[in-house]
Amino acid sequence: MNEDTNKTIDVMDGGGSGMETDKAKNSGKTVRRLMKALRPQGGVLAVAFIFAIGGVLLNLWAPLIFADAINVIFEGVIPAVMGFGPVEINTGRLGEFVLLLIGVYALASIFQYYQEYIMASVGQKLTLSLRKRVSAKLAKVPLKFYDTHKKGEILSRVTNDIERLNEIIKDAIMRLFTSLLTITGAFIMMFRINWIIALIALGSIFLGLIIVVVVSMYSNVYFTARQKSLGIFNTRIEEYFSGQVEIKTFTLEKEVTAKTNAAIDQLYKDDKKAQFIMFVIMPIIRLVNQIGYVVIAGVGATFVITGRINIGQILSFFQYVQMAQEPFAEATFVLNSLQSAIASAERVFEIIDEEEDVPDAENTRKLRTPKGDIAFEDVQFGYGKELLMDGVSFEAKPGQKIAIVGPTGAGKTTLVNLLMRFYEISGGTIRVDGVDIKNFERDYLRSLFGMVLQDSWIYDGTISDNIAYGRHKASQSDVMRASRMARADYFVRTLPRGYDTEMNDETSSLSHGEKQLLCIARCIVANPTFLLLDEATSSVDTRTEVHIQQAMEQLMKGRTSFIIAHRLSTIKNADLILVMNQGDIVETGSHFELLEKGGMYSEIYNSQFAS
């Protein structure tokens, strides 16, 4: 095997994360879809295949030219060897063959260059198209898609699987085609030279191929075990690094180290077996090939002596044997890589085939002047067949503060998600200023709302960029005014570059509360009609909570606001409190009205002060 074959082994060995299977569920369907995706580049692909065919034919021609050159030398030397006369080599004719051979190899190299260049372009355009389709799809899928798929799995499909497909398209497909073409051509040429030694060569090559197939069957078992051990090892390492505080707190260093070392040892054992079975192939194949060479050389020498073939033909025959042996071994590994690529393509197509949000109505409406009235009328909703909400009804008047409270899993966040049409209701109606929200475009409907979540989200960019995220045309003065209203201006100015300070969600030195104030400033800049505050103060200390509450009070002035409350002391002045339990609204009223009822709200409120 040559360097390209070793490269293929590396792709097969390390191309995936080991977390998803490399076997497609429906290879035929996926291949047809890939061919359809490549159809716009059909003309370019045809040119690449023409270059590939030209390169293979030139390489197959080269040994014949080499044989003629050897025969010229042999004819000039043999008289002197036999004692019939001096050495008389026809240098002019020999020079012609040498120049022709150089030209053939040069032209074959040019063909190969353009073939690889075209295939690289085809692979990049295909991945560009798939990335655009996946990106567009991820913007159209409902929120439940993200609830039911792990982030790492989605990222793996968008990055690793598409990139693996790119590598295979630009490399493996053409290598498989040229390998099969070279094998066919090499055998035709060998049989033209002499069918007897051609059969000997064919037998040795097929014996090597059988060995490769058998070893590959065993290697799959070992590589599967190694990938499993690698997954366990990665999990242990992740736990080791991410849980350092807990590990040291409970003095579990020895136990964790022992488990990690056990995972390392198992990975070592499985990796050793996998690598051994992989690298044992080469010596075995080389041994079979060498035995084949010896037999061919012996039989060929006999045929040269008896005059059945000439010396140039037997030397060219050896070149054809080598040309057939390498592609045979390579084709086996390329086929494995193609299976892996088909599995990757299938996972990408699964995202592309995901169900999208229900299309917006054809004749959508917009509110001339949004007032801020919201009404739930007998709303029903369920994530599956069973309903979580069954007959939820209430009305929020313009400018009111509506607090939503209840135990974990009561349906508080779900209520807000339905209002934003992140999920489609199963029955009933939700109205904004008397208009069914299904009669609005989603983008328009969501533009009416500003949301501040429990987990603050900061993206890569300056503080100004983050605050203006909800309204990109906001001026710097708008950003600074919103920052002052959100009580964030004071700490922003203490930063080295102020509003031009670069931020990201992972490495920012800002506290959670400071990030939350920036999110509130972002909401102020957007100037929404409605506000949705989802437990925005549940993860901060009391002092920071005071600052955030002041900022939110400023934000909520004149706006209909929904507040999902964790600390009930923060919603005493709410105009209406909705108490939810198991998806239904079980109590409604003001803070004091609900305390007088002595129901669930009273129990929750008093439990916060119980000793």
Side-chain angles (χ1 to χ4, degrees), residues 263-277:
I264 292 171
D265 291 339
Q266 188 61 45
L267 176 60
Y268 165 76
K269 292 175 183 177
D270 291 334
D271 189 46
K272 186 177 180 180
K273 291 177 182 178
Q275 294 300 328
F276 172 79
I277 202 71

Side-chain angles (χ1 to χ4, degrees), residues 168-332:
I168 297 301
I169 290 294
K170 75 178 184 182
D171 191 28
I173 290 178
M174 196 57 70
R175 285 166 66 187
L176 181 63
F177 173 73
T178 55
S179 294
L180 296 176
L181 196 61
T182 301
I183 292 167
T184 304
F187 275 119
I188 290 173
M189 299 308 293
M190 281 190 280
F191 275 98
R192 282 188 61 189
I193 293 171
N194 188 278
W195 67 272
I196 296 175
I197 51 177
L199 287 176
I200 296 172
L202 184 63
S204 66
I205 291 172
F206 269 107
L207 181 58
L209 179 63
I210 290 170
I211 293 172
V212 170
V213 172
V214 172
V215 174
S216 295
M217 290 171 61
Y218 282 101
S219 68
N220 286 336
V221 176
Y222 291 116
F223 273 108
T224 300
R226 192 196 72 162
Q227 291 299 88
K228 182 178 179 181
S229 298
L230 181 61
I232 294 172
F233 168 72
N234 288 337
T235 301
R236 294 295 183 202
I237 290 297
E238 184 180 355
E239 290 175 352
Y240 190 86
F241 285 119
S242 61
Q244 276 299 306
V245 174
E246 289 80 5
I247 291 170
K248 293 183 182 300
T249 300
F250 294 103
T251 64
L252 295 172
E253 290 90 342
K254 289 183 179 180
E255 289 83 349
V256 171
T257 302
K259 288 182 179 179
T260 304
N261 287 337
I264 292 171
D265 291 339
Q266 188 61 45
L267 176 60
Y268 165 76
K269 292 175 183 177
D270 291 334
D271 189 46
K272 186 177 180 180
K273 291 177 182 178
Q275 294 300 328
F276 172 79
I277 202 71
M278 176 59 68
F279 289 108
V280 79
I281 295 176
M282 277 301 296
I284 295 175
I285 293 176
R286 194 172 288 119
L287 175 61
V288 173
N289 290 345
Q290 295 301 332
I291 294 173
Y293 278 131
V294 171
V295 176
I296 292 169
V299 176
T302 303
F303 287 174
V304 170
I305 293 171
T306 57
R308 298 177 67 172
I309 58 175
N310 58 51
I311 189 68
Q313 286 178 317
I314 191 62
L315 291 177
S316 66
F317 190 92
F318 278 114
Q319 292 186 55
Y320 286 124
V321 171
Q322 186 177 14
M323 290 174 69
Q325 284 175 340
E326 291 179 358
F328 250 119
E330 182 174 332
T332 304

Side-chain angles (χ1 to χ4, degrees), residues 345-365:
E346 188 174 64
R347 289 193 288 269
V348 173
F349 286 135
E350 282 176 358
I351 291 183
I352 294 174
D353 293 339
E354 279 291 334
E355 182 182 349
E356 298 182 5
D357 271 322
V358 177
D360 289 322
E362 292 185 4
N363 300 316
T364 56
R365 296 181 54 182

Side-chain angles (χ1 to χ4, degrees), residues 75-91:
E75 290 169 0
V77 172
I78 196 65
V81 174
M82 301 299 293
F84 298 147
V87 174
E88 293 183 0
I89 299 175
N90 188 338
T91 54

Side-chain angles (χ1 to χ4, degrees), residues 144 161 198 295 399 425 502 590:
K144 67 179 180 181
D161 284 327
V295 176
I425 60 177
E502 291 289 333
S590 67

Side-chain angles (χ1 to χ4, degrees), residues 550-610:
Q550 291 172 348
M552 288 196 301
E553 287 295 330
Q554 187 73 24
L555 180 61
M556 288 187 290
K557 285 182 179 178
R559 295 183 173 91
T560 306
S561 305
F562 288 82
I563 309 164
I564 296 178
H566 179 72
R567 298 171 183 170
L568 302 191
S569 58
T570 62
I571 58 165
K572 289 182 179 179
N573 61 346
D575 297 298
L576 178 66
I577 298 174
L578 308 177
V579 184
M580 297 193 68
N581 189 31
Q582 297 182 355
D584 291 323
I585 298 175
V586 294
E587 292 179 357
T588 60
S590 67
H591 171 71
F592 294 105
E593 289 173 348
L594 292 174
L595 284 181
E596 290 179 1
K597 287 183 180 179
M600 176 175 282
Y601 180 84
S602 178
E603 290 180 11
I604 297 173
Y605 182 80
N606 292 325
S607 67
Q608 294 189 357
F609 304 100

